[in-house]
Amino acid sequence: MNDDRQTQSDDEAFAQRAKELLDAEGENLSAPVRSKLNQARQAALDELPAEKSGSFGGFNLGPVSVVMMIFSVSVMLWFFDLTLIEETEQEPVAAAEEQVTPDDFDMLLSVADLELMNDLDFYTWLGEELESDEDTTG
Amino acid sequence: MNTFLAEVEGRAFVIARAALRNEADALDVIQETMLRLVRKYADRASDEWRPLFYRILGNCIIDQQRKSNVRRRVMAVQPAGDSETDPVEQAPGHPGAEPDRQAMADETLHSLHAAVQTLPARQQQAFLLRVAEDMNVTQTATVMECSTGSVKTHYSRAVHTLRKILGDHWS
């Protein structure tokens, strides 16, 4: 009985010593090993599917943010659609004329038209002057 | 997942190196274990990751040990002249290069690694999980997919064998 207890106690002491050695080994890993472990971890994390990592275009978005974003876009689309329908019902010809075409975007994005927009005040003033001249002469 | 892997990678490497006695093989095994966990079990609850990780690690270590055994047999068949190992690289370091105490600890650790490697795979796994990873009997049984009784038997035999082998080195 005493022998059994002694053996158990020796086993525990042995395991404790082994644990201390292995713990120390884990804490004192060399820089190259740590670096390689880090690389291995990053390589494994790269395998995570996008929806699991919760990233979107490099930004981390929570589920609530994603839902809010979808809701906002839906509201904007719905509102834009409704406005267009109202205009179409009231003045079909005018609404058709005012519909945005791809050419309008091209015009807005072109450099020349951006310069024109910068001088918009000048052209507004010029227009008003011409109109007042016409009024006084006509 | 990143936090979990960062937490376990150091200890997992110690276990793999003790079982394989080769740093490059141990790193390969850790890489493979991480990849398998992420690919197959990333969507599981985070409290399941630890036992799954160590189960995969155990399997990867056994696979690597088999590969190493085959490699060793193939190398043994080759003529001795083909060896490209540099004798200078293989020579032990100068004893005065490190403090005596550290050198003694290193020597003890190396003898522990050597002794652990002589254990049968299941005993090795039970010993390393319980000692290096500090798992209790139930957790070890979950990882090893066996009963708690088997874990106790494997562990007890492992400790008995190691004490017998290490004897003089373990003072």
PDB file of all heavy atoms in Angstrom, chain A residues 50-86:
ATOM      1  N   ALA A  50     -15.188  34.073 -47.039  1.00  0.00           N
ATOM      2  CA  ALA A  50     -15.415  35.497 -46.739  1.00  0.00           C
ATOM      3  C   ALA A  50     -16.562  35.698 -45.757  1.00  0.00           C
ATOM      4  O   ALA A  50     -16.470  36.512 -44.853  1.00  0.00           O
ATOM      5  CB  ALA A  50     -15.689  36.253 -48.028  1.00  0.00           C
ATOM      6  N   GLU A  51     -17.655  34.937 -45.920  1.00  0.00           N
ATOM      7  CA  GLU A  51     -18.819  35.174 -45.057  1.00  0.00           C
ATOM      8  C   GLU A  51     -18.541  34.776 -43.621  1.00  0.00           C
ATOM      9  O   GLU A  51     -19.122  35.321 -42.697  1.00  0.00           O
ATOM     10  CB  GLU A  51     -20.075  34.441 -45.574  1.00  0.00           C
ATOM     11  CG  GLU A  51     -20.035  32.937 -45.517  1.00  0.00           C
ATOM     12  CD  GLU A  51     -19.518  32.334 -46.802  1.00  0.00           C
ATOM     13  OE1 GLU A  51     -18.811  33.038 -47.546  1.00  0.00           O
ATOM     14  OE2 GLU A  51     -19.801  31.160 -47.078  1.00  0.00           O
ATOM     15  N   LYS A  52     -17.566  33.811 -43.430  1.00  0.00           N
ATOM     16  CA  LYS A  52     -17.250  33.394 -42.063  1.00  0.00           C
ATOM     17  C   LYS A  52     -16.359  34.407 -41.369  1.00  0.00           C
ATOM     18  O   LYS A  52     -16.422  34.598 -40.176  1.00  0.00           O
ATOM     19  CB  LYS A  52     -16.570  32.032 -42.068  1.00  0.00           C
ATOM     20  CG  LYS A  52     -17.579  30.914 -42.244  1.00  0.00           C
ATOM     21  CD  LYS A  52     -16.869  29.604 -42.433  1.00  0.00           C
ATOM     22  CE  LYS A  52     -17.853  28.532 -42.867  1.00  0.00           C
ATOM     23  NZ  LYS A  52     -17.194  27.344 -43.366  1.00  0.00           N
ATOM     24  N   SER A  53     -15.473  35.043 -42.154  1.00  0.00           N
ATOM     25  CA  SER A  53     -14.575  36.004 -41.523  1.00  0.00           C
ATOM     26  C   SER A  53     -15.287  37.321 -41.264  1.00  0.00           C
ATOM     27  O   SER A  53     -14.805  38.150 -40.516  1.00  0.00           O
ATOM     28  CB  SER A  53     -13.359  36.238 -42.408  1.00  0.00           C
ATOM     29  OG  SER A  53     -13.776  36.806 -43.617  1.00  0.00           O
ATOM     30  N   GLY A  54     -16.455  37.543 -41.903  1.00  0.00           N
ATOM     31  CA  GLY A  54     -17.239  38.751 -41.650  1.00  0.00           C
ATOM     32  C   GLY A  54     -16.620  39.988 -42.258  1.00  0.00           C
ATOM     33  O   GLY A  54     -16.857  41.089 -41.814  1.00  0.00           O
ATOM     34  N   SER A  55     -15.805  39.824 -43.318  1.00  0.00           N
ATOM     35  CA  SER A  55     -15.166  40.989 -43.914  1.00  0.00           C
ATOM     36  C   SER A  55     -15.878  41.352 -45.210  1.00  0.00           C
ATOM     37  O   SER A  55     -16.454  40.512 -45.875  1.00  0.00           O
ATOM     38  CB  SER A  55     -13.692  40.692 -44.193  1.00  0.00           C
ATOM     39  OG  SER A  55     -13.578  39.679 -45.141  1.00  0.00           O
ATOM     40  N   PHE A  56     -15.814  42.622 -45.527  1.00  0.00           N
ATOM     41  CA  PHE A  56     -16.463  43.100 -46.732  1.00  0.00           C
ATOM     42  C   PHE A  56     -15.595  44.186 -47.311  1.00  0.00           C
ATOM     43  O   PHE A  56     -15.506  45.278 -46.766  1.00  0.00           O
ATOM     44  CB  PHE A  56     -17.849  43.638 -46.379  1.00  0.00           C
ATOM     45  CG  PHE A  56     -18.593  44.189 -47.566  1.00  0.00           C
ATOM     46  CD1 PHE A  56     -19.193  43.344 -48.468  1.00  0.00           C
ATOM     47  CD2 PHE A  56     -18.675  45.551 -47.768  1.00  0.00           C
ATOM     48  CE1 PHE A  56     -19.866  43.852 -49.553  1.00  0.00           C
ATOM     49  CE2 PHE A  56     -19.347  46.057 -48.861  1.00  0.00           C
ATOM     50  CZ  PHE A  56     -19.945  45.211 -49.761  1.00  0.00           C
ATOM     51  N   GLY A  57     -14.898  43.824 -48.413  1.00  0.00           N
ATOM     52  CA  GLY A  57     -14.038  44.808 -49.061  1.00  0.00           C
ATOM     53  C   GLY A  57     -12.974  45.362 -48.143  1.00  0.00           C
ATOM     54  O   GLY A  57     -12.655  46.524 -48.215  1.00  0.00           O
ATOM     55  N   GLY A  58     -12.435  44.516 -47.274  1.00  0.00           N
ATOM     56  CA  GLY A  58     -11.377  44.967 -46.383  1.00  0.00           C
ATOM     57  C   GLY A  58     -11.878  45.566 -45.083  1.00  0.00           C
ATOM     58  O   GLY A  58     -11.124  45.822 -44.171  1.00  0.00           O
ATOM     59  N   PHE A  59     -13.220  45.834 -44.996  1.00  0.00           N
ATOM     60  CA  PHE A  59     -13.778  46.380 -43.761  1.00  0.00           C
ATOM     61  C   PHE A  59     -14.492  45.281 -43.003  1.00  0.00           C
ATOM     62  O   PHE A  59     -15.181  44.452 -43.601  1.00  0.00           O
ATOM     63  CB  PHE A  59     -14.778  47.489 -44.079  1.00  0.00           C
ATOM     64  CG  PHE A  59     -14.155  48.667 -44.755  1.00  0.00           C
ATOM     65  CD1 PHE A  59     -14.248  48.814 -46.122  1.00  0.00           C
ATOM     66  CD2 PHE A  59     -13.456  49.611 -44.023  1.00  0.00           C
ATOM     67  CE1 PHE A  59     -13.658  49.898 -46.748  1.00  0.00           C
ATOM     68  CE2 PHE A  59     -12.876  50.695 -44.650  1.00  0.00           C
ATOM     69  CZ  PHE A  59     -12.968  50.839 -46.013  1.00  0.00           C
ATOM     70  N   ASN A  60     -14.344  45.260 -41.700  1.00  0.00           N
ATOM     71  CA  ASN A  60     -15.043  44.266 -40.896  1.00  0.00           C
ATOM     72  C   ASN A  60     -16.419  44.800 -40.524  1.00  0.00           C
ATOM     73  O   ASN A  60     -16.547  45.801 -39.839  1.00  0.00           O
ATOM     74  CB  ASN A  60     -14.242  43.951 -39.621  1.00  0.00           C
ATOM     75  CG  ASN A  60     -13.036  43.112 -39.950  1.00  0.00           C
ATOM     76  OD1 ASN A  60     -13.096  42.274 -40.839  1.00  0.00           O
ATOM     77  ND2 ASN A  60     -11.946  43.353 -39.254  1.00  0.00           N
ATOM     78  N   LEU A  61     -17.446  44.146 -41.031  1.00  0.00           N
ATOM     79  CA  LEU A  61     -18.807  44.567 -40.760  1.00  0.00           C
ATOM     80  C   LEU A  61     -19.517  43.493 -39.972  1.00  0.00           C
ATOM     81  O   LEU A  61     -19.464  42.329 -40.314  1.00  0.00           O
ATOM     82  CB  LEU A  61     -19.558  44.782 -42.079  1.00  0.00           C
ATOM     83  CG  LEU A  61     -19.024  45.875 -43.008  1.00  0.00           C
ATOM     84  CD1 LEU A  61     -19.821  45.870 -44.297  1.00  0.00           C
ATOM     85  CD2 LEU A  61     -19.128  47.232 -42.355  1.00  0.00           C
ATOM     86  N   GLY A  62     -20.230  43.925 -38.954  1.00  0.00           N
ATOM     87  CA  GLY A  62     -21.039  42.988 -38.191  1.00  0.00           C
ATOM     88  C   GLY A  62     -22.330  42.726 -38.934  1.00  0.00           C
ATOM     89  O   GLY A  62     -22.659  43.438 -39.889  1.00  0.00           O
ATOM     90  N   PRO A  63     -23.085  41.698 -38.514  1.00  0.00           N
ATOM     91  CA  PRO A  63     -24.339  41.382 -39.196  1.00  0.00           C
ATOM     92  C   PRO A  63     -25.344  42.524 -39.159  1.00  0.00           C
ATOM     93  O   PRO A  63     -26.055  42.764 -40.132  1.00  0.00           O
ATOM     94  CB  PRO A  63     -24.871  40.173 -38.428  1.00  0.00           C
ATOM     95  CG  PRO A  63     -23.901  39.855 -37.376  1.00  0.00           C
ATOM     96  CD  PRO A  63     -22.752  40.789 -37.459  1.00  0.00           C
ATOM     97  N   VAL A  64     -25.347  43.279 -38.042  1.00  0.00           N
ATOM     98  CA  VAL A  64     -26.296  44.392 -37.916  1.00  0.00           C
ATOM     99  C   VAL A  64     -25.978  45.466 -38.949  1.00  0.00           C
ATOM    100  O   VAL A  64     -26.874  46.009 -39.622  1.00  0.00           O
ATOM    101  CB  VAL A  64     -26.248  44.985 -36.485  1.00  0.00           C
ATOM    102  CG1 VAL A  64     -27.155  46.191 -36.378  1.00  0.00           C
ATOM    103  CG2 VAL A  64     -26.639  43.935 -35.465  1.00  0.00           C
ATOM    104  N   SER A  65     -24.675  45.762 -39.117  1.00  0.00           N
ATOM    105  CA  SER A  65     -24.268  46.780 -40.088  1.00  0.00           C
ATOM    106  C   SER A  65     -24.677  46.380 -41.498  1.00  0.00           C
ATOM    107  O   SER A  65     -25.133  47.216 -42.282  1.00  0.00           O
ATOM    108  CB  SER A  65     -22.752  46.974 -40.046  1.00  0.00           C
ATOM    109  OG  SER A  65     -22.335  47.181 -38.746  1.00  0.00           O
ATOM    110  N   VAL A  66     -24.494  45.101 -41.814  1.00  0.00           N
ATOM    111  CA  VAL A  66     -24.829  44.615 -43.158  1.00  0.00           C
ATOM    112  C   VAL A  66     -26.331  44.766 -43.395  1.00  0.00           C
ATOM    113  O   VAL A  66     -26.762  45.255 -44.448  1.00  0.00           O
ATOM    114  CB  VAL A  66     -24.388  43.138 -43.326  1.00  0.00           C
ATOM    115  CG1 VAL A  66     -24.911  42.580 -44.636  1.00  0.00           C
ATOM    116  CG2 VAL A  66     -22.868  43.030 -43.287  1.00  0.00           C
ATOM    117  N   VAL A  67     -27.139  44.397 -42.402  1.00  0.00           N
ATOM    118  CA  VAL A  67     -28.595  44.508 -42.531  1.00  0.00           C
ATOM    119  C   VAL A  67     -28.999  45.966 -42.699  1.00  0.00           C
ATOM    120  O   VAL A  67     -29.819  46.311 -43.555  1.00  0.00           O
ATOM    121  CB  VAL A  67     -29.304  43.889 -41.297  1.00  0.00           C
ATOM    122  CG1 VAL A  67     -30.794  44.232 -41.298  1.00  0.00           C
ATOM    123  CG2 VAL A  67     -29.117  42.379 -41.282  1.00  0.00           C
ATOM    124  N   MET A  68     -28.380  46.856 -41.902  1.00  0.00           N
ATOM    125  CA  MET A  68     -28.689  48.284 -41.990  1.00  0.00           C
ATOM    126  C   MET A  68     -28.337  48.831 -43.370  1.00  0.00           C
ATOM    127  O   MET A  68     -29.082  49.633 -43.943  1.00  0.00           O
ATOM    128  CB  MET A  68     -27.907  49.060 -40.924  1.00  0.00           C
ATOM    129  CG  MET A  68     -28.447  48.910 -39.524  1.00  0.00           C
ATOM    130  SD  MET A  68     -30.126  49.508 -39.374  1.00  0.00           S
ATOM    131  CE  MET A  68     -29.860  51.256 -39.553  1.00  0.00           C
ATOM    132  N   MET A  69     -27.209  48.378 -43.911  1.00  0.00           N
ATOM    133  CA  MET A  69     -26.768  48.862 -45.212  1.00  0.00           C
ATOM    134  C   MET A  69     -27.755  48.430 -46.300  1.00  0.00           C
ATOM    135  O   MET A  69     -28.152  49.241 -47.139  1.00  0.00           O
ATOM    136  CB  MET A  69     -25.373  48.307 -45.506  1.00  0.00           C
ATOM    137  CG  MET A  69     -24.637  49.073 -46.569  1.00  0.00           C
ATOM    138  SD  MET A  69     -22.948  48.530 -46.676  1.00  0.00           S
ATOM    139  CE  MET A  69     -23.160  46.988 -47.525  1.00  0.00           C
ATOM    140  N   ILE A  70     -28.166  47.152 -46.243  1.00  0.00           N
ATOM    141  CA  ILE A  70     -29.115  46.635 -47.230  1.00  0.00           C
ATOM    142  C   ILE A  70     -30.440  47.391 -47.125  1.00  0.00           C
ATOM    143  O   ILE A  70     -31.037  47.776 -48.129  1.00  0.00           O
ATOM    144  CB  ILE A  70     -29.325  45.111 -47.027  1.00  0.00           C
ATOM    145  CG1 ILE A  70     -28.043  44.362 -47.402  1.00  0.00           C
ATOM    146  CG2 ILE A  70     -30.504  44.599 -47.863  1.00  0.00           C
ATOM    147  CD1 ILE A  70     -28.035  42.916 -47.000  1.00  0.00           C
ATOM    148  N   PHE A  71     -30.872  47.653 -45.880  1.00  0.00           N
ATOM    149  CA  PHE A  71     -32.132  48.364 -45.658  1.00  0.00           C
ATOM    150  C   PHE A  71     -32.053  49.781 -46.241  1.00  0.00           C
ATOM    151  O   PHE A  71     -32.965  50.227 -46.942  1.00  0.00           O
ATOM    152  CB  PHE A  71     -32.414  48.415 -44.148  1.00  0.00           C
ATOM    153  CG  PHE A  71     -33.656  49.171 -43.803  1.00  0.00           C
ATOM    154  CD1 PHE A  71     -34.911  48.612 -44.041  1.00  0.00           C
ATOM    155  CD2 PHE A  71     -33.583  50.433 -43.244  1.00  0.00           C
ATOM    156  CE1 PHE A  71     -36.054  49.322 -43.724  1.00  0.00           C
ATOM    157  CE2 PHE A  71     -34.724  51.139 -42.923  1.00  0.00           C
ATOM    158  CZ  PHE A  71     -35.966  50.581 -43.170  1.00  0.00           C
ATOM    159  N   SER A  72     -30.932  50.468 -45.985  1.00  0.00           N
ATOM    160  CA  SER A  72     -30.777  51.837 -46.483  1.00  0.00           C
ATOM    161  C   SER A  72     -30.830  51.882 -48.002  1.00  0.00           C
ATOM    162  O   SER A  72     -31.504  52.731 -48.600  1.00  0.00           O
ATOM    163  CB  SER A  72     -29.447  52.433 -46.019  1.00  0.00           C
ATOM    164  OG  SER A  72     -29.328  52.287 -44.653  1.00  0.00           O
ATOM    165  N   VAL A  73     -30.104  50.947 -48.628  1.00  0.00           N
ATOM    166  CA  VAL A  73     -30.078  50.913 -50.097  1.00  0.00           C
ATOM    167  C   VAL A  73     -31.477  50.624 -50.634  1.00  0.00           C
ATOM    168  O   VAL A  73     -31.923  51.253 -51.605  1.00  0.00           O
ATOM    169  CB  VAL A  73     -29.051  49.855 -50.587  1.00  0.00           C
ATOM    170  CG1 VAL A  73     -29.174  49.636 -52.087  1.00  0.00           C
ATOM    171  CG2 VAL A  73     -27.638  50.294 -50.229  1.00  0.00           C
ATOM    172  N   SER A  74     -32.201  49.703 -49.975  1.00  0.00           N
ATOM    173  CA  SER A  74     -33.556  49.360 -50.415  1.00  0.00           C
ATOM    174  C   SER A  74     -34.472  50.577 -50.334  1.00  0.00           C
ATOM    175  O   SER A  74     -35.230  50.859 -51.265  1.00  0.00           O
ATOM    176  CB  SER A  74     -34.143  48.244 -49.544  1.00  0.00           C
ATOM    177  OG  SER A  74     -33.285  47.167 -49.515  1.00  0.00           O
ATOM    178  N   VAL A  75     -34.375  51.315 -49.211  1.00  0.00           N
ATOM    179  CA  VAL A  75     -35.216  52.510 -49.037  1.00  0.00           C
ATOM    180  C   VAL A  75     -34.896  53.538 -50.109  1.00  0.00           C
ATOM    181  O   VAL A  75     -35.796  54.128 -50.721  1.00  0.00           O
ATOM    182  CB  VAL A  75     -35.016  53.105 -47.622  1.00  0.00           C
ATOM    183  CG1 VAL A  75     -35.627  54.489 -47.528  1.00  0.00           C
ATOM    184  CG2 VAL A  75     -35.627  52.185 -46.585  1.00  0.00           C
ATOM    185  N   MET A  76     -33.599  53.739 -50.380  1.00  0.00           N
ATOM    186  CA  MET A  76     -33.188  54.713 -51.396  1.00  0.00           C
ATOM    187  C   MET A  76     -33.732  54.342 -52.766  1.00  0.00           C
ATOM    188  O   MET A  76     -34.270  55.181 -53.495  1.00  0.00           O
ATOM    189  CB  MET A  76     -31.660  54.793 -51.458  1.00  0.00           C
ATOM    190  CG  MET A  76     -31.064  55.732 -50.428  1.00  0.00           C
ATOM    191  SD  MET A  76     -29.286  55.608 -50.399  1.00  0.00           S
ATOM    192  CE  MET A  76     -28.878  56.094 -52.052  1.00  0.00           C
ATOM    193  N   LEU A  77     -33.619  53.055 -53.115  1.00  0.00           N
ATOM    194  CA  LEU A  77     -34.101  52.595 -54.421  1.00  0.00           C
ATOM    195  C   LEU A  77     -35.612  52.755 -54.525  1.00  0.00           C
ATOM    196  O   LEU A  77     -36.141  53.186 -55.548  1.00  0.00           O
ATOM    197  CB  LEU A  77     -33.693  51.126 -54.646  1.00  0.00           C
ATOM    198  CG  LEU A  77     -32.212  50.891 -54.932  1.00  0.00           C
ATOM    199  CD1 LEU A  77     -31.921  49.402 -54.965  1.00  0.00           C
ATOM    200  CD2 LEU A  77     -31.809  51.534 -56.251  1.00  0.00           C
ATOM    201  N   TRP A  78     -36.290  52.386 -53.438  1.00  0.00           N
ATOM    202  CA  TRP A  78     -37.755  52.472 -53.419  1.00  0.00           C
ATOM    203  C   TRP A  78     -38.203  53.934 -53.580  1.00  0.00           C
ATOM    204  O   TRP A  78     -39.075  54.260 -54.367  1.00  0.00           O
ATOM    205  CB  TRP A  78     -38.258  51.878 -52.103  1.00  0.00           C
ATOM    206  CG  TRP A  78     -39.737  52.012 -51.931  1.00  0.00           C
ATOM    207  CD1 TRP A  78     -40.709  51.264 -52.514  1.00  0.00           C
ATOM    208  CD2 TRP A  78     -40.412  52.969 -51.106  1.00  0.00           C
ATOM    209  NE1 TRP A  78     -41.941  51.676 -52.111  1.00  0.00           N
ATOM    210  CE2 TRP A  78     -41.797  52.731 -51.240  1.00  0.00           C
ATOM    211  CE3 TRP A  78     -39.975  53.990 -50.263  1.00  0.00           C
ATOM    212  CZ2 TRP A  78     -42.746  53.476 -50.558  1.00  0.00           C
ATOM    213  CZ3 TRP A  78     -40.927  54.735 -49.591  1.00  0.00           C
ATOM    214  CH2 TRP A  78     -42.299  54.480 -49.750  1.00  0.00           C
ATOM    215  N   PHE A  79     -37.522  54.844 -52.857  1.00  0.00           N
ATOM    216  CA  PHE A  79     -37.873  56.255 -52.887  1.00  0.00           C
ATOM    217  C   PHE A  79     -37.611  56.839 -54.273  1.00  0.00           C
ATOM    218  O   PHE A  79     -38.435  57.565 -54.829  1.00  0.00           O
ATOM    219  CB  PHE A  79     -37.051  57.004 -51.826  1.00  0.00           C
ATOM    220  CG  PHE A  79     -37.443  58.435 -51.666  1.00  0.00           C
ATOM    221  CD1 PHE A  79     -38.631  58.766 -51.026  1.00  0.00           C
ATOM    222  CD2 PHE A  79     -36.646  59.451 -52.160  1.00  0.00           C
ATOM    223  CE1 PHE A  79     -39.008  60.088 -50.884  1.00  0.00           C
ATOM    224  CE2 PHE A  79     -37.022  60.767 -52.025  1.00  0.00           C
ATOM    225  CZ  PHE A  79     -38.200  61.089 -51.381  1.00  0.00           C
ATOM    226  N   PHE A  80     -36.471  56.499 -54.847  1.00  0.00           N
ATOM    227  CA  PHE A  80     -36.112  56.989 -56.179  1.00  0.00           C
ATOM    228  C   PHE A  80     -37.128  56.522 -57.208  1.00  0.00           C
ATOM    229  O   PHE A  80     -37.584  57.271 -58.069  1.00  0.00           O
ATOM    230  CB  PHE A  80     -34.709  56.480 -56.522  1.00  0.00           C
ATOM    231  CG  PHE A  80     -34.241  56.913 -57.886  1.00  0.00           C
ATOM    232  CD1 PHE A  80     -33.867  58.235 -58.119  1.00  0.00           C
ATOM    233  CD2 PHE A  80     -34.168  56.013 -58.926  1.00  0.00           C
ATOM    234  CE1 PHE A  80     -33.439  58.635 -59.361  1.00  0.00           C
ATOM    235  CE2 PHE A  80     -33.741  56.421 -60.177  1.00  0.00           C
ATOM    236  CZ  PHE A  80     -33.377  57.735 -60.397  1.00  0.00           C
ATOM    237  N   ASP A  81     -37.527  55.262 -57.102  1.00  0.00           N
ATOM    238  CA  ASP A  81     -38.498  54.656 -58.010  1.00  0.00           C
ATOM    239  C   ASP A  81     -39.832  55.378 -57.899  1.00  0.00           C
ATOM    240  O   ASP A  81     -40.471  55.692 -58.899  1.00  0.00           O
ATOM    241  CB  ASP A  81     -38.658  53.183 -57.628  1.00  0.00           C
ATOM    242  CG  ASP A  81     -38.711  52.309 -58.853  1.00  0.00           C
ATOM    243  OD1 ASP A  81     -38.166  52.744 -59.890  1.00  0.00           O
ATOM    244  OD2 ASP A  81     -39.302  51.218 -58.778  1.00  0.00           O
ATOM    245  N   LEU A  82     -40.269  55.658 -56.662  1.00  0.00           N
ATOM    246  CA  LEU A  82     -41.559  56.296 -56.403  1.00  0.00           C
ATOM    247  C   LEU A  82     -41.575  57.706 -56.990  1.00  0.00           C
ATOM    248  O   LEU A  82     -42.544  58.126 -57.639  1.00  0.00           O
ATOM    249  CB  LEU A  82     -41.788  56.363 -54.887  1.00  0.00           C
ATOM    250  CG  LEU A  82     -43.227  56.533 -54.443  1.00  0.00           C
ATOM    251  CD1 LEU A  82     -44.026  55.277 -54.765  1.00  0.00           C
ATOM    252  CD2 LEU A  82     -43.296  56.814 -52.948  1.00  0.00           C
ATOM    253  N   THR A  83     -40.505  58.447 -56.815  1.00  0.00           N
ATOM    254  CA  THR A  83     -40.401  59.801 -57.348  1.00  0.00           C
ATOM    255  C   THR A  83     -40.524  59.787 -58.863  1.00  0.00           C
ATOM    256  O   THR A  83     -41.227  60.594 -59.459  1.00  0.00           O
ATOM    257  CB  THR A  83     -39.050  60.438 -56.957  1.00  0.00           C
ATOM    258  OG1 THR A  83     -38.812  60.173 -55.599  1.00  0.00           O
ATOM    259  CG2 THR A  83     -39.044  61.926 -57.228  1.00  0.00           C
ATOM    260  N   LEU A  84     -39.865  58.863 -59.490  1.00  0.00           N
ATOM    261  CA  LEU A  84     -39.877  58.733 -60.941  1.00  0.00           C
ATOM    262  C   LEU A  84     -41.283  58.419 -61.433  1.00  0.00           C
ATOM    263  O   LEU A  84     -41.758  58.981 -62.427  1.00  0.00           O
ATOM    264  CB  LEU A  84     -38.900  57.620 -61.346  1.00  0.00           C
ATOM    265  CG  LEU A  84     -38.306  57.753 -62.747  1.00  0.00           C
ATOM    266  CD1 LEU A  84     -37.436  59.023 -62.785  1.00  0.00           C
ATOM    267  CD2 LEU A  84     -37.476  56.547 -63.076  1.00  0.00           C
ATOM    268  N   ILE A  85     -41.983  57.508 -60.690  1.00  0.00           N
ATOM    269  CA  ILE A  85     -43.345  57.135 -61.085  1.00  0.00           C
ATOM    270  C   ILE A  85     -44.273  58.347 -60.999  1.00  0.00           C
ATOM    271  O   ILE A  85     -45.043  58.624 -61.915  1.00  0.00           O
ATOM    272  CB  ILE A  85     -43.873  55.981 -60.200  1.00  0.00           C
ATOM    273  CG1 ILE A  85     -43.161  54.694 -60.574  1.00  0.00           C
ATOM    274  CG2 ILE A  85     -45.387  55.807 -60.355  1.00  0.00           C
ATOM    275  CD1 ILE A  85     -43.349  53.579 -59.573  1.00  0.00           C
ATOM    276  N   GLU A  86     -44.149  59.132 -59.896  1.00  0.00           N
ATOM    277  CA  GLU A  86     -44.996  60.316 -59.727  1.00  0.00           C
ATOM    278  C   GLU A  86     -44.785  61.306 -60.864  1.00  0.00           C
ATOM    279  O   GLU A  86     -45.733  61.819 -61.455  1.00  0.00           O
ATOM    280  CB  GLU A  86     -44.678  60.995 -58.391  1.00  0.00           C
ATOM    281  CG  GLU A  86     -45.374  60.332 -57.223  1.00  0.00           C
ATOM    282  CD  GLU A  86     -44.898  60.901 -55.896  1.00  0.00           C
ATOM    283  OE1 GLU A  86     -44.108  61.867 -55.900  1.00  0.00           O
ATOM    284  OE2 GLU A  86     -45.322  60.366 -54.862  1.00  0.00           O
TER     285      GLU A  86
END
